[in-house]
């Protein structure tokens, strides 16, 4: 976490303690105003436990609503997710089965505890750490601090689980490669949820792939003071 971001998170958590003690958070969360309820989420930055308690995924609000509508007619939907977290629990409440792969094995254990605590029986978590990159590595992440790692096993986990999947979430590492692999396992009429899709390293590739219909859903995002864009992608 960068110095500026770390200072922001620390500051927010300090203010949160005072707001919680004064009963302000409860009032904000119970408000009839969506904007006020969003304000309450700002106190929970990088706190997946709070996100689970509030029943939210870490996507834009418009994307959450759209995905919820999509799953409402598919109570037995099969879902595969690249990148585990609060969204794993959110999806589990709305689908038949969720398989989620996570590259950070320590974080995977945190999510596993959250799943157990929520008594969710339809989640299977796959912890698949990257390996050291070699000259032959073809699946890399451009994220700072991860460029010397090979994510081939992580990306191919979807092959071992086996589709088809009604919904596939791309919200972890090596997203472009994960997205390409996801298309091979997408059910007819299925959709891919690609978070932060407008980041240049993603958009420059995904936006020019043929045979895709992309719906950009930009808006407020839980815990963040600025909007983000989540993409929903169908095959034509």
């Amino acid at each position: 976490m960068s110095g500026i971001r770390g200072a922001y998170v620390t500051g927010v958590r300090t203010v949160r303690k005072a707001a919680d003690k004064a009963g302000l958070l409860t009032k904000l969360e119970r408000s009839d105003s969506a904007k006020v309820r969003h304000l309450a989420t700002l106190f929970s930055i990088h706190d997946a436990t709070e996100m689970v308690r509030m029943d939210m995924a870490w996507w834009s609000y418009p994307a959450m609503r759209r995905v919820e509508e999509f799953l409402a007619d598919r109570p037995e939907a099969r879902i595969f997710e690249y990148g585990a977290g609060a969204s794993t629990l959110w999806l589990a409440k709305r689908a038949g089965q969720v398989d989620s792969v996570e590259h950070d094995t320590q974080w995977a254990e945190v999510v596993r505890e959250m799943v157990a605590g929520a008594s969710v029986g339809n989640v299977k978590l796959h912890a698949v750490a990257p390996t050291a990159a070699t000259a032959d590595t073809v699946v890399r992440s451009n994220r700072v601090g991860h460029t010397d790692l090979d994510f081939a096993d992580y990306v191919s986990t979807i092959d071992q689980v086996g589709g088809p999947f009604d919904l596939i979430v791309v919200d972890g590492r090596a997203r472009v490669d994960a997205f390409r692999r996801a298309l091979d396992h997408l059910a007819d009429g299925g959709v891919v949820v690609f978070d932060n899709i407008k980041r240049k390293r993603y958009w420059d590739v995904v936006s020019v792939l043929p045979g895709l219909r992309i719906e950009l859903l930009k808006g407020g995002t839980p815990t963040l003071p600025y909007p983000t864009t989540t993409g929903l992608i169908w095959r034509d």
Side-chain angles (χ1 to χ4, degrees), residues 21-33:
K21 186 176 182 180
L24 177 60
L25 286 183
T26 300
K27 293 180 180 179
L28 293 177
E29 290 177 4
R30 293 177 178 175
S31 173
D32 293 330
S33 168

Side-chain angles (χ1 to χ4, degrees), residues 6-26:
Y8 172 76
V9 172
T10 299
V12 167
R13 289 177 176 172
T14 299
V15 174
R16 175 192 169 84
K17 292 180 181 179
D20 196 16
K21 186 176 182 180
L24 177 60
L25 286 183
T26 300

Side-chain angles (χ1 to χ4, degrees), residues 41-59:
T41 75
L42 298 182
F43 291 100
S44 300
I45 183 72
H46 291 299
D47 190 335
T49 301
E50 278 296 292
M51 291 280 289
V52 170
R53 183 183 65 79
M54 293 185 287
D55 191 27
M56 291 183 176
W58 207 11
W59 313 324

Side-chain angles (χ1 to χ4, degrees), residues 175-184 192 194 197 201-214 233-236:
R175 293 189 196 184
V176 170
D177 288 277
F179 173 70
R180 292 180 185 275
R181 191 66 59 90
L183 292 176
D184 294 334
V192 176
F194 197 127
I197 191 173
R201 64 182 183 272
Y202 306 146
W203 185 248
D204 285 354
V205 177
V206 175
S207 63
V208 298
L209 292 177
L212 302 178
R213 176 167 59 89
I214 304 176
I233 307 173
W234 288 265
R235 285 184 303 209
D236 287 336

Side-chain angles (χ1 to χ4, degrees), residues 122-213:
N122 61 339
V123 172
K124 186 171 183 180
L125 190 60
H126 309 265
V128 182
T131 57
T134 68
D136 297 324
T137 294
V138 293
V139 181
R140 295 180 182 269
S141 172
N142 289 324
R143 186 180 177 89
V144 175
H146 294 73
T147 56
D148 60 345
L149 299 174
D150 180 0
F151 286 85
D153 291 341
Y154 167 85
V155 167
S156 66
T157 301
I158 195 170
D159 300 332
Q160 279 75 62
V161 176
F165 297 98
D166 300 285
L167 185 145
I168 301 175
V169 179
V170 177
D171 196 14
R173 296 292 176 265
R175 293 189 196 184
V176 170
D177 288 277
F179 173 70
R180 292 180 185 275
R181 191 66 59 90
L183 292 176
D184 294 334
H185 295 275
L186 192 63
D188 291 340
V191 63
V192 176
V193 179
F194 197 127
D195 199 27
N196 309 118
I197 191 173
K198 287 305 293 288
R199 290 177 182 169
K200 182 175 174 57
R201 64 182 183 272
Y202 306 146
W203 185 248
D204 285 354
V205 177
V206 175
S207 63
V208 298
L209 292 177
L212 302 178
R213 176 167 59 89

